[in-house]
Amino acid sequence: MTVTRGLEGIVATTSSISSIIDDTLTYVGFDIDDLAENASFEEVIYLLWHRRLPVASELEELKKQLAQNMALPQEVLDHFKMYPIDKVHPMAALRTAVSLLGLYDNEADIMDEEANYRKAIRLQAKMPAIVTAFARIRKGLEPIAPREDLNFAANFLYMLSGKDPEPIAVEAFNKALVLHADHELNASTFTARVCVATLSDVYSGVTSAIGALKGPLHGGANEAVMKMLKEIGTLENVEPYIRGKLANKEKIMGFGHRVYRKGDPRAKHLRLMSQKLTELTGEPHWYQMSTEIEAIVTGEKNLPPNVDFYSASVYHSLGIDHDLFTPIFAVSRVSGWLAHILEQYDNNRLIRPRAEYNGPGMQQYVAVELRG
Ligand SMILES: CC(C)(COP(=O)(O)OP(=O)(O)OC[C@H]1O[C@@H](n2cnc3c(N)ncnc32)[C@H](O)[C@@H]1OP(=O)(O)O)[C@@H](O)C(=O)NCCC(=O)NCCS
């Protein structure tokens, strides 16, 4: 047996959804730069699920279906009110809520293609409602119902704050959603595929994926970046703080990647957004500190920033609570998880690798009263 720790470089499936080749990320053959500049998140959802961009009527239909399916069952909202609210991380709340949603979906265990597609729409639509409702309920505020006249990105911001979002905020948020939508066989997507390859249901697949995304080596990194920026506090403190961490062999959150070598193509879009937004909010130091950190980490370790690094200051500038950053990643990435789940069902084989055993050799059972 050859052991490949972390499955690095192992090609575990074929997929027609997204690809990373020579540090270029494409969704269905469209360069991420092209999509980030031009596409709406709804178009990207359609692209990932149908492997082509929608024509105008198809896009309208998808937007309508998403808007109509956003509202949550009252049971889910009531459930939030039972949580020990000050102790629950929104990612844990999201993971639980998606699992709970499955209990109220009559089609949860109906596994035909059409039923699975309908569940995909419902789940994609309800993710922003879950995140924003939880964010409000924990502050003692009532959840805000979605508006059918707003697009996906605007609806999220509206349901969070209750205010009509500024066009620049909608643009930034839409871009972030587009950039996070899919990423080949990343850890959470792989988790989703492993789960549904047992022919478990869509809700189980997405629930497991949320669990994988929560960790700081994956989606949890964006929240960790903001925590670091706050800890650093001032531009002058960047250099001693980062050099100290590197000297202690500690990881700098938002840097490095398993697949990219020269750099994460998504980071530059968020860097630009971070610059614009931090200037607008009168807090340019978050951007300045970030570029300073980038210069040091890239210089010392040759590690470029990944998607999570500049998304932190972007979301902060949009007035979003820091522990909602990773749930926002999930609101976008669920589009990719669902595409992969549907693709897995379409050509399924159980995913079951092996482990090389390195425990003790054969042993004899000894009754408990005779053990020393
Ligand atoms: C993304 C990540 C998990 C990839 O991990 P990986 O492919 O297993 O790479 P490793 O953790 O084995 O790192 C390889 C080397 O680079 C170093 N390295 C990797 N990421 C680093 C970081 N963010 N800061 C400092 N050093 C880092 C490791 O210490 C290791 O150095 P060594 O060979 O001297 O021991 C890793 O880069 C990381 O932990 N980054 C920070 C978390 C993050 O931003 N995650 C979001 C990813 S989109």
Side-chain angles (χ1 to χ4, degrees), residues 218-267:
H218 190 9
N222 55 13
E223 182 185 345
V225 169
M226 203 60 222
K227 186 163 171 265
M228 173 176 74
L229 289 172
K230 275 175 59 195
E231 253 169 45
I232 297 175
T234 61
L235 200 51
E236 298 70 51
N237 201 25
V238 167
E239 174 121 21
Y241 180 99
I242 296 295
R243 291 204 192 280
K245 289 248 174 211
L246 292 177
N248 286 336
K249 302 233 165 292
E250 285 178 54
K251 283 189 167 172
I252 312 297
M253 289 294 124
F255 286 86
H257 202 272
R258 175 59 71 72
V259 182
Y260 296 119
R261 286 298 158 246
K262 293 195 292 286
D264 182 333
R266 302 166 296 178

Side-chain angles (χ1 to χ4, degrees), residues 269-282:
H269 298 283
L270 293 157
R271 186 193 292 115
L272 207 62
M273 265 332 267
S274 165
Q275 184 178 19
K276 262 197 213 173
L277 290 171
T278 55
E279 263 168 33
L280 273 175
T281 56

Side-chain angles (χ1 to χ4, degrees), residues 49-67:
W49 294 359
H50 297 269
R51 315 292 196 274
R52 64 176 176 81
L53 286 169
V55 298
S57 59
E58 291 165 334
L59 182 59
E60 277 320 298
E61 179 59 23
L62 176 67
K63 282 183 176 171
K64 202 171 91 191
Q65 287 174 329
L66 289 171

Side-chain angles (χ1 to χ4, degrees), residues 304-329:
N306 57 48
V307 70
D308 292 309
F309 189 61
Y310 286 97
S311 63
S313 42
V314 167
Y315 296 147
H316 171 82
S317 304
L318 295 177
I320 294 171
D321 290 344
H322 301 168
D323 59 0
L324 297 181
F325 292 2
T326 314
I328 287 170
F329 193 152

Side-chain angles (χ1 to χ4, degrees), residues 20-65:
I20 305 169
I21 298 171
D22 295 335
D23 286 8
T24 297
L25 169 63
T26 61
Y27 297 167
V28 197
F30 291 90
D31 195 307
I32 192 65
D33 292 343
D34 195 3
L35 295 171
E37 289 305 329
N38 300 304
S40 69
F41 181 56
E42 290 91 331
E43 284 178 287
V44 168
I45 297 173
Y46 194 98
L47 175 66
L48 297 176
W49 294 359
H50 297 269
R51 315 292 196 274
R52 64 176 176 81
L53 286 169
V55 298
S57 59
E58 291 165 334
L59 182 59
E60 277 320 298
E61 179 59 23
L62 176 67
K63 282 183 176 171
K64 202 171 91 191
Q65 287 174 329

